[in-house]
């Protein structure tokens, strides 16, 4: 296990799984935001670097505006030097909270035909605003929360200079908090399964008849064919980014039943929030 309050640490095996992990990955920098309350984002990132890659990796130092050899600084990586973070301002985050992003930039030097080629990559850990009230989410499409998230993503893209002419490719990951288009989704559920398929729509609960989750979003094929048509919120970012599809179950229905990842809750609408 590795630990660090805003700094990095080498990895150490813990049990059979940990031993296998430490055999494959030599260096595991941990970056946690430990800044003051006014700038605190509550973000943390763990980067697993394969042994075969570590000697060729460099991480950008925002304090010196230069790349450092990764294997020389991995244990000293910290937010402020090798990672830059920012919290959303009150202009797009009137409700407050610790949402924001954390940026790291990497360079990998690859020998090819007697030459060394430099490949750069930006990694951005994001935490964007959640829906607070299903009734508000249901009131319009896109919902007010979706518009708020869009503004957040636009702020991240601009703040990290991801679309600059000399910007490296970037991967955004983390807690996107995106939701299905709730109004269209519930209209579809009622049309397919009857008006009683949605028995309650409240601020914090969206309750489905008990048989609906298993029929509609537990099945992989149905989920891909049906739910994807309502998973359109990130389409607004197409000019700046491409969404990589993941073959993963919708996360949100399991949120309140953590003891069983396959026990889908009937009180929440599905979404790929992370």
């Amino acid at each position: 296990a590795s630990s660090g309050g805003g700094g990095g640490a080498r990895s150490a095996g813990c049990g059979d799984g940990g031993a296998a992990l430490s055999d494959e990955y030599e260096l595991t920098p941990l970056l946690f935001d430990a800044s003051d309350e006014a700038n605190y984002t509550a973000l943390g990132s763990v980067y697993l670097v394969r042994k075969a890659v570590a000697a060729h990796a460099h991480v950008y130092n925002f304090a010196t505006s230069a790349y450092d050899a990764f294997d020389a600084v991995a244990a000293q990586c910290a937010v402020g030097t090798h990672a830059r973070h920012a919290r959303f301002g009150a202009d797009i985050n009137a409700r407050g909270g610790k949402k924001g992003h954390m940026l790291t930039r990497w360079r990998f030097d690859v020998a090819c035909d007697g030459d060394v080629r430099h490949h750069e990559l930006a990694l951005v850990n994001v935490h964007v605003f959640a829906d607070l009230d299903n009734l508000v989410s249901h009131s319009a499409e896109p919902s007010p929360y979706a518009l708020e998230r869009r503004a957040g993503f636009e702020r991240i893209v601009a703040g990290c200079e991801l679309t600059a002419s000399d910007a490296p490719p970037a991967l955004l990951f983390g807690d996107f908090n995106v939701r299905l288009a709730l109004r269209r989704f519930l209209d579809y559920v009622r049309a397919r399964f009857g008006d009683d398929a949605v028995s309650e729509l409240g601020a914090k609960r969206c309750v489905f008849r008990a048989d609906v989750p298993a029929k509609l979003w537990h099945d992989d094929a149905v989920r891909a064919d049906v739910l994807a048509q309502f998973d359109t919120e990130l389409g607004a970012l197409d000019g700046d980014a491409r969404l990589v599809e993941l073959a993963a179950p919708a996360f949100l229905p399991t949120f309140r039943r953590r003891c069983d990842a396959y026990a889908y809750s009937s009180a929440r609408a599905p979404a790929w929030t992370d």
Side-chain angles (χ1 to χ4, degrees):
S2 299
S3 63
R10 293 178 180 269
S11 62
C14 180
D16 292 340
L21 189 65
S22 64
D23 286 344
E24 187 172 1
Y25 298 95
E26 179 179 0
L27 302 167
T28 307
L30 310 175
L31 294 170
F32 297 106
D33 183 0
S35 55
D36 59 84
E37 179 61 26
N39 299 299
Y40 183 58
T41 61
L43 285 169
S45 298
V46 178
Y47 302 93
L48 302 178
V49 182
R50 293 182 185 274
K51 290 184 176 181
V53 175
H56 309 285
H58 297 72
V59 59
Y60 191 77
N61 188 322
F62 291 95
T64 63
S65 300
Y67 280 99
D68 293 333
F70 177 67
D71 55 3
V73 300
Q76 290 80 43
C77 285
V79 175
T81 53
H82 296 95
R84 191 177 71 191
H85 75 292
R87 189 163 162 172
F88 291 118
D91 57 328
I92 60 171
N93 186 23
R95 64 174 100 162
K98 301 176 177 63
K99 306 297 190 292
H101 73 271
M102 180 184 293
L103 167 69
T104 58
R105 293 181 61 173
W106 302 77
R107 193 188 79 203
F108 302 93
D109 297 344
V110 180
C112 182
D113 298 328
D115 192 13
V116 177
R117 298 181 181 179
H118 305 301
H119 300 275
E120 294 185 85
L121 175 67
L123 298 177
V124 190
N125 186 355
V126 306
H127 193 186
V128 192
F129 322 108
D131 287 21
L132 297 180
D133 187 325
N134 287 324
L135 300 178
V136 175
S137 305
H138 188 265
S139 66
E141 186 182 338
S143 76
Y145 300 127
L147 295 176
E148 194 176 42
R149 284 188 287 272
R150 184 182 305 176
F153 280 114
E154 290 172 350
R155 182 66 55 85
I156 291 171
V157 169
C160 296
E161 301 177 331
L162 301 184
T163 57
S165 58
D166 59 347
L171 176 66
L172 279 68
F173 61 94
D175 193 348
F176 284 27
N177 263 318
V178 295
R179 301 295 197 269
L180 300 188
L182 187 60
R183 179 188 288 183
R184 283 194 297 121
F185 175 64
L186 296 186
D187 286 347
Y188 173 86
V189 171
R190 292 187 181 103
R192 179 168 176 175
F193 297 104
D195 289 340
D196 65 340
V198 182
S199 59
E200 178 187 343
L201 178 63
K204 300 299 182 183
R205 287 167 57 84
C206 183
V207 182
F208 298 88
R209 198 175 63 221
D211 63 309
V212 172
K215 290 179 179 178
L216 191 52
W217 57 78
H218 192 66
D219 181 88
D220 289 348
V222 173
R223 183 175 64 249
D225 293 339
V226 175
L227 297 191
Q229 66 183 298
F230 306 108
D231 185 31
T232 57
E233 184 175 321
L234 291 178
L237 300 175
D238 282 348
D240 296 322
R242 178 174 63 89
L243 180 65
V244 178
E245 299 294 343
L246 299 178
F251 169 80
L252 199 54
T254 69
F255 184 74
R256 296 195 182 280
R257 301 185 69 174
R258 295 173 183 164
C259 58
D260 184 352
Y262 297 97
Y264 279 65
S265 169
S266 61
R268 308 196 78 179
W272 287 269
T273 55
D274 297 307

